[in-house]
Amino acid sequence: MDSLDPLRRLAVEQARNRVLAIGAGVSLAWLALVGLFALFGPEAEGQGAAGWLVWLVGVILPLALVWLAVWSARSLLLLRQEAEELRAMLARMQDQGMAGEPMADPRAAASSSAPVSAPAARRGMVPPAPRPSAADARQASLELDSPPAAQLTPAELFHALNFPDGPEDREAIRCLRLALADPGMARLIRAAQDVVTLLAGQGVYMDELAVPEADPVLWRRFAEGARGEAVADLAVIRDEAALASAGAMLHGDEVFRDVAHHFLRHFDRLMSRKVQDSDPQLLAALAETRSGRAFTLLAQVTGMLGRAGTQAEGVEGAEGAGAR
């Protein structure tokens, strides 16, 4: 963890407290003005119930707007802090990998006791990494050219796509570091992180998104190239607010649209690669990671799953993300 992280958290907390103090000050000033107006303003005789109701709304509405602004500002400060911490953590791990810092062997370090998230635990299908054989050890001792990045095990791939829960989630951090060592996976991870962060900025959080289980056979069919109504049962997200927010961002935010289509293409290619040598249960488990939930949401909105949330983006998104 960066030694400056506590100072950054303290600065953000102080900024949130200042916003709260400003909101309280503005509210007190408004109430004081209302009190002065009530004491020295013109007397409203014979207003009736309707007049008093209008006057009451005129007093309460500005207060509600002030505290809505306070809540939004405090939430935005906290969101920016979390996004900066995640970006800094990814940058530090990438720098350490480029500097040649020794890393744990991806196969020997993985074990069946590694923590997994609730969706994977429910499925019980993220398998532990196999132990290296004697032949593997002998080959490792030979000074031959090795591939640029080690092949991730299913458990490591799951943790990398789900992102660490925090600085103490050492296993997920290790898996994320291994994924970033592979150029193709690094592009997918960064695109997923950008999409998840931008969606969170609009109040769409992957941890809060209800994604019911889907038939693993359907994910295999999707990975093999099926689109539209053939895989419509994968469109399991029923959160209308999340669908509407994602659709509005795809329509109105050109930057998000480019990032989203870039992410859809890379995640789709990953699923296509894994379908050749993996059990369909692995594809379903990857779809339950934070990256997988973002993919399901965007695929549903763009019409790749046959139930488009935005008609204008449906064809473009399906063609762009479905390109091999």
Side-chain angles (χ1 to χ4, degrees), residues 151-152 157 270-278 283 286:
Q151 182 71 25
L152 294 177
L157 182 60
L270 172 67
M271 300 287 275
S272 298
R273 291 196 304 269
K274 291 300 177 183
V275 74
Q276 304 300 328
D277 54 1
S278 300
L283 303 180
L286 296 182

Side-chain angles (χ1 to χ4, degrees), residues 118-243:
R122 184 181 67 232
R123 290 182 178 273
M125 61 68 51
V126 179
R131 299 182 61 182
S133 64
D136 293 334
R138 288 195 299 270
Q139 289 179 356
S141 65
L142 299 177
E143 295 183 356
L144 301 177
D145 292 336
S146 59
Q151 182 71 25
L152 294 177
T153 65
E156 290 167 344
L157 182 60
F158 179 90
H159 285 302
L161 291 175
N162 199 49
F163 302 127
D165 291 326
E168 302 304 322
D169 193 353
R170 301 181 185 276
E171 175 64 13
I173 292 174
R174 183 188 68 82
C175 298
L176 186 59
R177 182 180 298 171
L178 291 174
L180 290 173
D182 180 271
M185 281 299 301
R187 287 190 288 270
L188 170 58
I189 293 293
R190 293 193 188 97
Q193 188 263 336
D194 288 341
V195 166
V196 170
T197 301
L198 291 172
L199 286 171
Q202 298 299 316
V204 182
Y205 300 100
M206 296 302 102
D207 288 340
E208 299 176 358
L209 195 62
V211 182
E213 288 189 46
D215 188 352
V217 175
L218 290 177
W219 279 114
R220 173 182 283 279
R221 189 181 304 167
F222 178 88
E224 291 174 345
R227 295 292 183 271
E229 294 303 321
V231 289
D233 288 341
L234 292 178
V236 294
I237 297 177
R238 297 292 181 265
D239 190 332
E240 297 297 335
L243 293 170

Side-chain angles (χ1 to χ4, degrees), residues 81-95:
Q81 176 197 0
E82 294 175 352
E84 289 174 0
E85 288 180 354
L86 182 56
R87 288 195 182 98
M89 181 173 61
L90 292 175
R92 287 197 299 271
M93 289 188 291
Q94 183 180 8
D95 292 341

